[in-house]
Amino acid sequence: MSPRIALYPGSFDPVTFGHVDLIRRSLAVADRLVISILPNAAKEALLPLVERASLLQSVVASELSDVADRISIRSDADLAVRIAADAGATLIVRGLRAGSDFEAELRMAHANRLLAPGIETLFLMTAPEHASTSSRLVREIARYGGPLERLVPSAVVPVLAAAAAAQRRRNG
């Protein structure tokens, strides 16, 4: 039997403890997980794509070392179903924090199903302790120099703080 491969696409700007939780829980239903770091034109990125990939590698090594051999990371700029097909994935993992996330994610899952009927979308509810944490919120806290330690892994804190400080200097 071939391994069950799942794709977890996202911007990961920055990777949060909520992402770490979903990565670990995804591996309960998949043998391998491909994490695809994507640009998002609708969001103002704080970290460049290459830095997000590097941070995610560090986080996997430090926070998920026991399952790191089952995880691969790539950067992409394509439709999730194409990335999934290229990676041999039959599942796309999406996290839901609240009911408000569900409608947008459901529309995306329906579109993906139309484009690639053989690829299923798996929704995982965020753990309660991470339900109010989003990358957008974390970026906002970082932009104002707020504490990040309870929101992101330790490898992310100095990089995110430095990027936010640089952005503050650029924007005055």
Side-chain angles (χ1 to χ4, degrees):
M1 186 168 150
S2 59
R4 185 159 192 107
I5 301 170
L7 175 74
Y8 182 22
S11 59
F12 302 98
D13 182 35
V15 59
T16 68
F17 283 127
H19 293 125
V20 172
D21 176 60
L22 285 175
I23 291 166
R24 182 172 297 284
R25 291 172 46 222
S26 296
L27 289 168
V29 295
D31 301 308
R32 297 202 37 77
L33 181 66
V34 177
I35 301 171
S36 176
I37 305 169
L38 302 166
N40 187 334
K43 297 179 183 177
E44 181 186 345
L46 183 58
L47 300 171
L49 209 56
V50 67
E51 196 156 28
R52 286 183 256 164
S54 176
L55 276 177
L56 200 44
Q57 289 284 2
S58 295
V59 167
V60 166
S62 63
E63 303 286 328
L64 298 158
S65 60
D66 59 318
V67 292
D69 62 328
R70 297 172 56 199
I71 299 168
S72 60
I73 299 168
R74 55 189 276 175
S75 297
D76 294 289
D78 202 350
L79 296 171
V81 291
R82 286 185 186 151
I83 299 164
D86 181 62
T90 56
L91 290 172
I92 296 175
V93 175
R94 300 298 297 169
L96 298 174
R97 289 184 307 262
S100 57
D101 289 345
F102 181 72
E103 287 193 35
E105 292 293 342
L106 183 63
R107 283 192 301 275
M108 193 180 326
H110 284 160
N112 287 341
R113 179 99 174 155
L114 287 171
L115 296 171
I119 298 174
E120 295 291 341
T121 299
L122 175 66
F123 295 118
L124 292 176
M125 295 305 299
T126 303
E129 62 270 25
H130 305 300
S132 62
T133 304
S134 68
S135 291
R136 181 175 174 249
L137 174 70
V138 171
R139 287 192 307 273
E140 193 70 12
I141 291 169
R143 283 184 179 114
Y144 289 99
L148 300 168
E149 292 76 14
R150 295 180 64 201
L151 304 170
V152 298
S154 59
V156 177
V157 173
V159 175
L160 184 59
Q167 186 182 60
R168 281 194 307 274
R169 284 191 299 277
R170 281 192 309 274
N171 296 340

PDB file of all heavy atoms in Angstrom, residues 49-90:
ATOM      1  N   LEU A  49       9.413  35.041   1.247  1.00  0.00           N
ATOM      2  CA  LEU A  49       9.141  33.613   1.083  1.00  0.00           C
ATOM      3  C   LEU A  49      10.324  32.745   1.509  1.00  0.00           C
ATOM      4  O   LEU A  49      10.149  31.749   2.205  1.00  0.00           O
ATOM      5  CB  LEU A  49       8.772  33.348  -0.379  1.00  0.00           C
ATOM      6  CG  LEU A  49       7.847  32.195  -0.697  1.00  0.00           C
ATOM      7  CD1 LEU A  49       6.537  32.298   0.049  1.00  0.00           C
ATOM      8  CD2 LEU A  49       7.590  32.131  -2.188  1.00  0.00           C
ATOM      9  N   VAL A  50      11.514  33.113   1.109  1.00  0.00           N
ATOM     10  CA  VAL A  50      12.702  32.312   1.432  1.00  0.00           C
ATOM     11  C   VAL A  50      12.932  32.271   2.948  1.00  0.00           C
ATOM     12  O   VAL A  50      13.339  31.246   3.494  1.00  0.00           O
ATOM     13  CB  VAL A  50      13.946  32.809   0.656  1.00  0.00           C
ATOM     14  CG1 VAL A  50      14.377  34.197   1.100  1.00  0.00           C
ATOM     15  CG2 VAL A  50      15.083  31.827   0.763  1.00  0.00           C
ATOM     16  N   GLU A  51      12.640  33.373   3.632  1.00  0.00           N
ATOM     17  CA  GLU A  51      12.807  33.405   5.084  1.00  0.00           C
ATOM     18  C   GLU A  51      11.737  32.560   5.777  1.00  0.00           C
ATOM     19  O   GLU A  51      12.010  31.876   6.760  1.00  0.00           O
ATOM     20  CB  GLU A  51      12.759  34.844   5.590  1.00  0.00           C
ATOM     21  CG  GLU A  51      13.300  34.981   6.993  1.00  0.00           C
ATOM     22  CD  GLU A  51      13.793  36.377   7.276  1.00  0.00           C
ATOM     23  OE1 GLU A  51      13.298  37.345   6.678  1.00  0.00           O
ATOM     24  OE2 GLU A  51      14.694  36.498   8.112  1.00  0.00           O
ATOM     25  N   ARG A  52      10.529  32.565   5.234  1.00  0.00           N
ATOM     26  CA  ARG A  52       9.465  31.720   5.796  1.00  0.00           C
ATOM     27  C   ARG A  52       9.831  30.245   5.675  1.00  0.00           C
ATOM     28  O   ARG A  52       9.608  29.467   6.596  1.00  0.00           O
ATOM     29  CB  ARG A  52       8.143  31.985   5.082  1.00  0.00           C
ATOM     30  CG  ARG A  52       7.534  33.302   5.479  1.00  0.00           C
ATOM     31  CD  ARG A  52       6.197  33.492   4.817  1.00  0.00           C
ATOM     32  NE  ARG A  52       6.353  34.433   3.720  1.00  0.00           N
ATOM     33  CZ  ARG A  52       5.487  34.605   2.738  1.00  0.00           C
ATOM     34  NH1 ARG A  52       4.392  33.882   2.679  1.00  0.00           N
ATOM     35  NH2 ARG A  52       5.712  35.486   1.802  1.00  0.00           N
ATOM     36  N   ALA A  53      10.417  29.870   4.535  1.00  0.00           N
ATOM     37  CA  ALA A  53      10.827  28.478   4.339  1.00  0.00           C
ATOM     38  C   ALA A  53      11.922  28.101   5.329  1.00  0.00           C
ATOM     39  O   ALA A  53      11.885  27.025   5.936  1.00  0.00           O
ATOM     40  CB  ALA A  53      11.298  28.263   2.906  1.00  0.00           C
ATOM     41  N   SER A  54      12.880  28.972   5.504  1.00  0.00           N
ATOM     42  CA  SER A  54      13.973  28.717   6.445  1.00  0.00           C
ATOM     43  C   SER A  54      13.454  28.596   7.877  1.00  0.00           C
ATOM     44  O   SER A  54      13.857  27.700   8.628  1.00  0.00           O
ATOM     45  CB  SER A  54      15.012  29.836   6.336  1.00  0.00           C
ATOM     46  OG  SER A  54      16.023  29.659   7.291  1.00  0.00           O
ATOM     47  N   LEU A  55      12.554  29.498   8.260  1.00  0.00           N
ATOM     48  CA  LEU A  55      11.976  29.442   9.608  1.00  0.00           C
ATOM     49  C   LEU A  55      11.182  28.159   9.809  1.00  0.00           C
ATOM     50  O   LEU A  55      11.265  27.526  10.867  1.00  0.00           O
ATOM     51  CB  LEU A  55      11.061  30.638   9.854  1.00  0.00           C
ATOM     52  CG  LEU A  55      11.727  31.910  10.305  1.00  0.00           C
ATOM     53  CD1 LEU A  55      10.704  33.035  10.428  1.00  0.00           C
ATOM     54  CD2 LEU A  55      12.439  31.704  11.631  1.00  0.00           C
ATOM     55  N   LEU A  56      10.417  27.785   8.808  1.00  0.00           N
ATOM     56  CA  LEU A  56       9.616  26.562   8.928  1.00  0.00           C
ATOM     57  C   LEU A  56      10.519  25.342   9.080  1.00  0.00           C
ATOM     58  O   LEU A  56      10.232  24.446   9.881  1.00  0.00           O
ATOM     59  CB  LEU A  56       8.684  26.434   7.728  1.00  0.00           C
ATOM     60  CG  LEU A  56       7.471  25.531   7.869  1.00  0.00           C
ATOM     61  CD1 LEU A  56       6.735  25.689   9.179  1.00  0.00           C
ATOM     62  CD2 LEU A  56       6.529  25.754   6.721  1.00  0.00           C
ATOM     63  N   GLN A  57      11.638  25.311   8.348  1.00  0.00           N
ATOM     64  CA  GLN A  57      12.617  24.216   8.502  1.00  0.00           C
ATOM     65  C   GLN A  57      13.128  24.180   9.942  1.00  0.00           C
ATOM     66  O   GLN A  57      13.214  23.117  10.551  1.00  0.00           O
ATOM     67  CB  GLN A  57      13.801  24.403   7.537  1.00  0.00           C
ATOM     68  CG  GLN A  57      13.477  24.166   6.095  1.00  0.00           C
ATOM     69  CD  GLN A  57      13.359  22.690   5.741  1.00  0.00           C
ATOM     70  OE1 GLN A  57      13.476  21.801   6.575  1.00  0.00           O
ATOM     71  NE2 GLN A  57      13.104  22.427   4.483  1.00  0.00           N
ATOM     72  N   SER A  58      13.466  25.345  10.494  1.00  0.00           N
ATOM     73  CA  SER A  58      13.963  25.422  11.874  1.00  0.00           C
ATOM     74  C   SER A  58      12.909  24.960  12.866  1.00  0.00           C
ATOM     75  O   SER A  58      13.215  24.233  13.817  1.00  0.00           O
ATOM     76  CB  SER A  58      14.385  26.853  12.222  1.00  0.00           C
ATOM     77  OG  SER A  58      15.469  27.258  11.453  1.00  0.00           O
ATOM     78  N   VAL A  59      11.677  25.381  12.651  1.00  0.00           N
ATOM     79  CA  VAL A  59      10.584  25.011  13.564  1.00  0.00           C
ATOM     80  C   VAL A  59      10.320  23.510  13.506  1.00  0.00           C
ATOM     81  O   VAL A  59      10.129  22.863  14.538  1.00  0.00           O
ATOM     82  CB  VAL A  59       9.317  25.835  13.245  1.00  0.00           C
ATOM     83  CG1 VAL A  59       8.100  25.267  13.951  1.00  0.00           C
ATOM     84  CG2 VAL A  59       9.533  27.299  13.626  1.00  0.00           C
ATOM     85  N   VAL A  60      10.317  22.945  12.309  1.00  0.00           N
ATOM     86  CA  VAL A  60      10.120  21.493  12.190  1.00  0.00           C
ATOM     87  C   VAL A  60      11.234  20.757  12.930  1.00  0.00           C
ATOM     88  O   VAL A  60      10.981  19.811  13.672  1.00  0.00           O
ATOM     89  CB  VAL A  60      10.025  21.060  10.706  1.00  0.00           C
ATOM     90  CG1 VAL A  60      10.156  19.549  10.557  1.00  0.00           C
ATOM     91  CG2 VAL A  60       8.712  21.540  10.098  1.00  0.00           C
ATOM     92  N   ALA A  61      12.473  21.211  12.761  1.00  0.00           N
ATOM     93  CA  ALA A  61      13.609  20.558  13.423  1.00  0.00           C
ATOM     94  C   ALA A  61      13.524  20.671  14.941  1.00  0.00           C
ATOM     95  O   ALA A  61      13.853  19.717  15.652  1.00  0.00           O
ATOM     96  CB  ALA A  61      14.925  21.155  12.923  1.00  0.00           C
ATOM     97  N   SER A  62      13.058  21.805  15.452  1.00  0.00           N
ATOM     98  CA  SER A  62      13.052  22.006  16.906  1.00  0.00           C
ATOM     99  C   SER A  62      11.754  21.560  17.581  1.00  0.00           C
ATOM    100  O   SER A  62      11.785  20.944  18.634  1.00  0.00           O
ATOM    101  CB  SER A  62      13.335  23.474  17.247  1.00  0.00           C
ATOM    102  OG  SER A  62      12.305  24.308  16.736  1.00  0.00           O
ATOM    103  N   GLU A  63      10.619  21.855  16.969  1.00  0.00           N
ATOM    104  CA  GLU A  63       9.327  21.581  17.607  1.00  0.00           C
ATOM    105  C   GLU A  63       8.727  20.230  17.197  1.00  0.00           C
ATOM    106  O   GLU A  63       7.860  19.710  17.898  1.00  0.00           O
ATOM    107  CB  GLU A  63       8.319  22.683  17.255  1.00  0.00           C
ATOM    108  CG  GLU A  63       8.747  24.080  17.614  1.00  0.00           C
ATOM    109  CD  GLU A  63       8.668  24.367  19.102  1.00  0.00           C
ATOM    110  OE1 GLU A  63       7.787  23.806  19.765  1.00  0.00           O
ATOM    111  OE2 GLU A  63       9.507  25.149  19.587  1.00  0.00           O
ATOM    112  N   LEU A  64       9.154  19.711  16.067  1.00  0.00           N
ATOM    113  CA  LEU A  64       8.557  18.482  15.525  1.00  0.00           C
ATOM    114  C   LEU A  64       9.623  17.454  15.177  1.00  0.00           C
ATOM    115  O   LEU A  64       9.468  16.678  14.236  1.00  0.00           O
ATOM    116  CB  LEU A  64       7.725  18.828  14.285  1.00  0.00           C
ATOM    117  CG  LEU A  64       6.543  19.775  14.519  1.00  0.00           C
ATOM    118  CD1 LEU A  64       6.131  20.464  13.240  1.00  0.00           C
ATOM    119  CD2 LEU A  64       5.382  19.019  15.135  1.00  0.00           C
ATOM    120  N   SER A  65      10.705  17.453  15.928  1.00  0.00           N
ATOM    121  CA  SER A  65      11.843  16.596  15.599  1.00  0.00           C
ATOM    122  C   SER A  65      11.467  15.116  15.541  1.00  0.00           C
ATOM    123  O   SER A  65      12.028  14.363  14.750  1.00  0.00           O
ATOM    124  CB  SER A  65      12.988  16.818  16.588  1.00  0.00           C
ATOM    125  OG  SER A  65      12.566  16.513  17.903  1.00  0.00           O
ATOM    126  N   ASP A  66      10.493  14.698  16.347  1.00  0.00           N
ATOM    127  CA  ASP A  66      10.095  13.289  16.371  1.00  0.00           C
ATOM    128  C   ASP A  66       9.365  12.843  15.106  1.00  0.00           C
ATOM    129  O   ASP A  66       9.273  11.649  14.825  1.00  0.00           O
ATOM    130  CB  ASP A  66       9.237  12.997  17.609  1.00  0.00           C
ATOM    131  CG  ASP A  66       7.982  13.837  17.682  1.00  0.00           C
ATOM    132  OD1 ASP A  66       8.061  15.058  17.392  1.00  0.00           O
ATOM    133  OD2 ASP A  66       6.908  13.301  18.025  1.00  0.00           O
ATOM    134  N   VAL A  67       8.841  13.796  14.318  1.00  0.00           N
ATOM    135  CA  VAL A  67       8.127  13.459  13.086  1.00  0.00           C
ATOM    136  C   VAL A  67       8.718  14.169  11.869  1.00  0.00           C
ATOM    137  O   VAL A  67       8.150  14.112  10.777  1.00  0.00           O
ATOM    138  CB  VAL A  67       6.613  13.781  13.207  1.00  0.00           C
ATOM    139  CG1 VAL A  67       5.935  12.853  14.199  1.00  0.00           C
ATOM    140  CG2 VAL A  67       6.392  15.242  13.577  1.00  0.00           C
ATOM    141  N   ALA A  68       9.846  14.838  12.053  1.00  0.00           N
ATOM    142  CA  ALA A  68      10.448  15.647  10.982  1.00  0.00           C
ATOM    143  C   ALA A  68      10.736  14.837   9.720  1.00  0.00           C
ATOM    144  O   ALA A  68      10.654  15.372   8.607  1.00  0.00           O
ATOM    145  CB  ALA A  68      11.724  16.323  11.482  1.00  0.00           C
ATOM    146  N   ASP A  69      11.048  13.555   9.870  1.00  0.00           N
ATOM    147  CA  ASP A  69      11.354  12.726   8.706  1.00  0.00           C
ATOM    148  C   ASP A  69      10.119  12.458   7.840  1.00  0.00           C
ATOM    149  O   ASP A  69      10.241  11.986   6.714  1.00  0.00           O
ATOM    150  CB  ASP A  69      11.999  11.407   9.140  1.00  0.00           C
ATOM    151  CG  ASP A  69      11.095  10.561  10.019  1.00  0.00           C
ATOM    152  OD1 ASP A  69      10.289  11.130  10.790  1.00  0.00           O
ATOM    153  OD2 ASP A  69      11.192   9.322   9.943  1.00  0.00           O
ATOM    154  N   ARG A  70       8.942  12.789   8.344  1.00  0.00           N
ATOM    155  CA  ARG A  70       7.695  12.594   7.599  1.00  0.00           C
ATOM    156  C   ARG A  70       7.193  13.889   6.960  1.00  0.00           C
ATOM    157  O   ARG A  70       6.120  13.917   6.363  1.00  0.00           O
ATOM    158  CB  ARG A  70       6.627  12.031   8.542  1.00  0.00           C
ATOM    159  CG  ARG A  70       6.995  10.663   9.093  1.00  0.00           C
ATOM    160  CD  ARG A  70       6.035  10.204  10.174  1.00  0.00           C
ATOM    161  NE  ARG A  70       4.661  10.195   9.716  1.00  0.00           N
ATOM    162  CZ  ARG A  70       3.612  10.188  10.557  1.00  0.00           C
ATOM    163  NH1 ARG A  70       3.803  10.176  11.863  1.00  0.00           N
ATOM    164  NH2 ARG A  70       2.387  10.190  10.077  1.00  0.00           N
ATOM    165  N   ILE A  71       7.976  14.960   7.094  1.00  0.00           N
ATOM    166  CA  ILE A  71       7.566  16.283   6.634  1.00  0.00           C
ATOM    167  C   ILE A  71       8.537  16.791   5.575  1.00  0.00           C
ATOM    168  O   ILE A  71       9.745  16.698   5.744  1.00  0.00           O
ATOM    169  CB  ILE A  71       7.536  17.276   7.814  1.00  0.00           C
ATOM    170  CG1 ILE A  71       6.534  16.818   8.882  1.00  0.00           C
ATOM    171  CG2 ILE A  71       7.215  18.695   7.338  1.00  0.00           C
ATOM    172  CD1 ILE A  71       6.644  17.580  10.189  1.00  0.00           C
ATOM    173  N   SER A  72       7.996  17.344   4.504  1.00  0.00           N
ATOM    174  CA  SER A  72       8.831  18.064   3.542  1.00  0.00           C
ATOM    175  C   SER A  72       8.229  19.448   3.342  1.00  0.00           C
ATOM    176  O   SER A  72       7.025  19.652   3.490  1.00  0.00           O
ATOM    177  CB  SER A  72       8.945  17.302   2.223  1.00  0.00           C
ATOM    178  OG  SER A  72       7.680  17.115   1.639  1.00  0.00           O
ATOM    179  N   ILE A  73       9.093  20.388   3.014  1.00  0.00           N
ATOM    180  CA  ILE A  73       8.688  21.786   2.870  1.00  0.00           C
ATOM    181  C   ILE A  73       9.104  22.263   1.493  1.00  0.00           C
ATOM    182  O   ILE A  73      10.215  21.994   1.040  1.00  0.00           O
ATOM    183  CB  ILE A  73       9.349  22.645   3.967  1.00  0.00           C
ATOM    184  CG1 ILE A  73       8.903  22.158   5.351  1.00  0.00           C
ATOM    185  CG2 ILE A  73       9.017  24.124   3.778  1.00  0.00           C
ATOM    186  CD1 ILE A  73       9.706  22.739   6.493  1.00  0.00           C
ATOM    187  N   ARG A  74       8.198  22.990   0.859  1.00  0.00           N
ATOM    188  CA  ARG A  74       8.498  23.554  -0.447  1.00  0.00           C
ATOM    189  C   ARG A  74       7.821  24.905  -0.560  1.00  0.00           C
ATOM    190  O   ARG A  74       6.863  25.193   0.144  1.00  0.00           O
ATOM    191  CB  ARG A  74       8.059  22.606  -1.559  1.00  0.00           C
ATOM    192  CG  ARG A  74       6.604  22.202  -1.487  1.00  0.00           C
ATOM    193  CD  ARG A  74       6.225  21.110  -2.444  1.00  0.00           C
ATOM    194  NE  ARG A  74       5.914  21.658  -3.767  1.00  0.00           N
ATOM    195  CZ  ARG A  74       5.647  20.905  -4.818  1.00  0.00           C
ATOM    196  NH1 ARG A  74       5.658  19.594  -4.732  1.00  0.00           N
ATOM    197  NH2 ARG A  74       5.366  21.468  -5.967  1.00  0.00           N
ATOM    198  N   SER A  75       8.338  25.734  -1.443  1.00  0.00           N
ATOM    199  CA  SER A  75       7.718  27.021  -1.763  1.00  0.00           C
ATOM    200  C   SER A  75       7.110  26.907  -3.143  1.00  0.00           C
ATOM    201  O   SER A  75       7.723  26.337  -4.044  1.00  0.00           O
ATOM    202  CB  SER A  75       8.757  28.140  -1.742  1.00  0.00           C
ATOM    203  OG  SER A  75       9.288  28.284  -0.451  1.00  0.00           O
ATOM    204  N   ASP A  76       5.916  27.432  -3.292  1.00  0.00           N
ATOM    205  CA  ASP A  76       5.201  27.297  -4.555  1.00  0.00           C
ATOM    206  C   ASP A  76       4.453  28.576  -4.886  1.00  0.00           C
ATOM    207  O   ASP A  76       4.247  29.423  -4.021  1.00  0.00           O
ATOM    208  CB  ASP A  76       4.175  26.151  -4.466  1.00  0.00           C
ATOM    209  CG  ASP A  76       4.821  24.797  -4.307  1.00  0.00           C
ATOM    210  OD1 ASP A  76       5.428  24.316  -5.266  1.00  0.00           O
ATOM    211  OD2 ASP A  76       4.713  24.216  -3.208  1.00  0.00           O
ATOM    212  N   ALA A  77       4.021  28.682  -6.109  1.00  0.00           N
ATOM    213  CA  ALA A  77       3.128  29.746  -6.560  1.00  0.00           C
ATOM    214  C   ALA A  77       2.211  29.130  -7.607  1.00  0.00           C
ATOM    215  O   ALA A  77       2.396  29.323  -8.809  1.00  0.00           O
ATOM    216  CB  ALA A  77       3.915  30.926  -7.122  1.00  0.00           C
ATOM    217  N   ASP A  78       1.265  28.322  -7.137  1.00  0.00           N
ATOM    218  CA  ASP A  78       0.372  27.607  -8.042  1.00  0.00           C
ATOM    219  C   ASP A  78      -0.900  27.254  -7.282  1.00  0.00           C
ATOM    220  O   ASP A  78      -1.011  27.506  -6.079  1.00  0.00           O
ATOM    221  CB  ASP A  78       1.057  26.335  -8.553  1.00  0.00           C
ATOM    222  CG  ASP A  78       0.472  25.820  -9.860  1.00  0.00           C
ATOM    223  OD1 ASP A  78      -0.596  26.318 -10.298  1.00  0.00           O
ATOM    224  OD2 ASP A  78       1.068  24.905 -10.453  1.00  0.00           O
ATOM    225  N   LEU A  79      -1.839  26.659  -7.966  1.00  0.00           N
ATOM    226  CA  LEU A  79      -3.057  26.172  -7.328  1.00  0.00           C
ATOM    227  C   LEU A  79      -2.712  25.017  -6.390  1.00  0.00           C
ATOM    228  O   LEU A  79      -1.875  24.167  -6.721  1.00  0.00           O
ATOM    229  CB  LEU A  79      -4.053  25.683  -8.375  1.00  0.00           C
ATOM    230  CG  LEU A  79      -4.607  26.724  -9.339  1.00  0.00           C
ATOM    231  CD1 LEU A  79      -5.412  26.039 -10.441  1.00  0.00           C
ATOM    232  CD2 LEU A  79      -5.464  27.729  -8.589  1.00  0.00           C
ATOM    233  N   ALA A  80      -3.393  24.959  -5.255  1.00  0.00           N
ATOM    234  CA  ALA A  80      -3.116  23.902  -4.278  1.00  0.00           C
ATOM    235  C   ALA A  80      -3.320  22.517  -4.878  1.00  0.00           C
ATOM    236  O   ALA A  80      -2.539  21.600  -4.597  1.00  0.00           O
ATOM    237  CB  ALA A  80      -4.001  24.087  -3.041  1.00  0.00           C
ATOM    238  N   VAL A  81      -4.327  22.340  -5.722  1.00  0.00           N
ATOM    239  CA  VAL A  81      -4.564  21.009  -6.297  1.00  0.00           C
ATOM    240  C   VAL A  81      -3.440  20.594  -7.245  1.00  0.00           C
ATOM    241  O   VAL A  81      -3.103  19.410  -7.324  1.00  0.00           O
ATOM    242  CB  VAL A  81      -5.940  20.911  -6.990  1.00  0.00           C
ATOM    243  CG1 VAL A  81      -7.066  20.972  -5.966  1.00  0.00           C
ATOM    244  CG2 VAL A  81      -6.111  21.961  -8.067  1.00  0.00           C
ATOM    245  N   ARG A  82      -2.840  21.546  -7.932  1.00  0.00           N
ATOM    246  CA  ARG A  82      -1.696  21.210  -8.796  1.00  0.00           C
ATOM    247  C   ARG A  82      -0.486  20.833  -7.949  1.00  0.00           C
ATOM    248  O   ARG A  82       0.251  19.903  -8.284  1.00  0.00           O
ATOM    249  CB  ARG A  82      -1.344  22.382  -9.700  1.00  0.00           C
ATOM    250  CG  ARG A  82      -2.305  22.594 -10.839  1.00  0.00           C
ATOM    251  CD  ARG A  82      -1.800  23.693 -11.742  1.00  0.00           C
ATOM    252  NE  ARG A  82      -2.762  24.006 -12.767  1.00  0.00           N
ATOM    253  CZ  ARG A  82      -2.871  25.202 -13.325  1.00  0.00           C
ATOM    254  NH1 ARG A  82      -2.059  26.181 -12.983  1.00  0.00           N
ATOM    255  NH2 ARG A  82      -3.772  25.414 -14.247  1.00  0.00           N
ATOM    256  N   ILE A  83      -0.285  21.579  -6.877  1.00  0.00           N
ATOM    257  CA  ILE A  83       0.832  21.275  -5.976  1.00  0.00           C
ATOM    258  C   ILE A  83       0.618  19.902  -5.346  1.00  0.00           C
ATOM    259  O   ILE A  83       1.546  19.096  -5.269  1.00  0.00           O
ATOM    260  CB  ILE A  83       0.962  22.368  -4.893  1.00  0.00           C
ATOM    261  CG1 ILE A  83       1.248  23.724  -5.545  1.00  0.00           C
ATOM    262  CG2 ILE A  83       2.038  22.008  -3.885  1.00  0.00           C
ATOM    263  CD1 ILE A  83       1.007  24.908  -4.628  1.00  0.00           C
ATOM    264  N   ALA A  84      -0.612  19.634  -4.918  1.00  0.00           N
ATOM    265  CA  ALA A  84      -0.935  18.333  -4.323  1.00  0.00           C
ATOM    266  C   ALA A  84      -0.663  17.207  -5.318  1.00  0.00           C
ATOM    267  O   ALA A  84      -0.020  16.205  -4.980  1.00  0.00           O
ATOM    268  CB  ALA A  84      -2.388  18.306  -3.861  1.00  0.00           C
ATOM    269  N   ALA A  85      -1.136  17.363  -6.530  1.00  0.00           N
ATOM    270  CA  ALA A  85      -0.930  16.329  -7.559  1.00  0.00           C
ATOM    271  C   ALA A  85       0.556  16.124  -7.818  1.00  0.00           C
ATOM    272  O   ALA A  85       1.028  14.976  -7.901  1.00  0.00           O
ATOM    273  CB  ALA A  85      -1.654  16.712  -8.842  1.00  0.00           C
ATOM    274  N   ASP A  86       1.303  17.208  -7.899  1.00  0.00           N
ATOM    275  CA  ASP A  86       2.745  17.119  -8.132  1.00  0.00           C
ATOM    276  C   ASP A  86       3.448  16.385  -6.986  1.00  0.00           C
ATOM    277  O   ASP A  86       4.403  15.649  -7.204  1.00  0.00           O
ATOM    278  CB  ASP A  86       3.332  18.522  -8.294  1.00  0.00           C
ATOM    279  CG  ASP A  86       4.821  18.495  -8.559  1.00  0.00           C
ATOM    280  OD1 ASP A  86       5.230  17.925  -9.601  1.00  0.00           O
ATOM    281  OD2 ASP A  86       5.589  19.028  -7.734  1.00  0.00           O
ATOM    282  N   ALA A  87       2.942  16.577  -5.759  1.00  0.00           N
ATOM    283  CA  ALA A  87       3.550  15.949  -4.584  1.00  0.00           C
ATOM    284  C   ALA A  87       3.012  14.540  -4.326  1.00  0.00           C
ATOM    285  O   ALA A  87       3.471  13.855  -3.418  1.00  0.00           O
ATOM    286  CB  ALA A  87       3.295  16.820  -3.351  1.00  0.00           C
ATOM    287  N   GLY A  88       2.032  14.113  -5.114  1.00  0.00           N
ATOM    288  CA  GLY A  88       1.429  12.802  -4.907  1.00  0.00           C
ATOM    289  C   GLY A  88       0.448  12.783  -3.740  1.00  0.00           C
ATOM    290  O   GLY A  88       0.095  11.720  -3.224  1.00  0.00           O
ATOM    291  N   ALA A  89      -0.034  13.954  -3.338  1.00  0.00           N
ATOM    292  CA  ALA A  89      -0.955  14.049  -2.201  1.00  0.00           C
ATOM    293  C   ALA A  89      -2.390  13.793  -2.634  1.00  0.00           C
ATOM    294  O   ALA A  89      -2.807  14.223  -3.715  1.00  0.00           O
ATOM    295  CB  ALA A  89      -0.841  15.422  -1.548  1.00  0.00           C
ATOM    296  N   THR A  90      -3.127  13.113  -1.781  1.00  0.00           N
ATOM    297  CA  THR A  90      -4.552  12.880  -2.025  1.00  0.00           C
ATOM    298  C   THR A  90      -5.421  13.646  -1.041  1.00  0.00           C
ATOM    299  O   THR A  90      -6.641  13.583  -1.116  1.00  0.00           O
ATOM    300  CB  THR A  90      -4.880  11.375  -1.923  1.00  0.00           C
ATOM    301  OG1 THR A  90      -4.463  10.896  -0.644  1.00  0.00           O
ATOM    302  CG2 THR A  90      -4.188  10.592  -3.029  1.00  0.00           C
TER     303      THR A  90
END
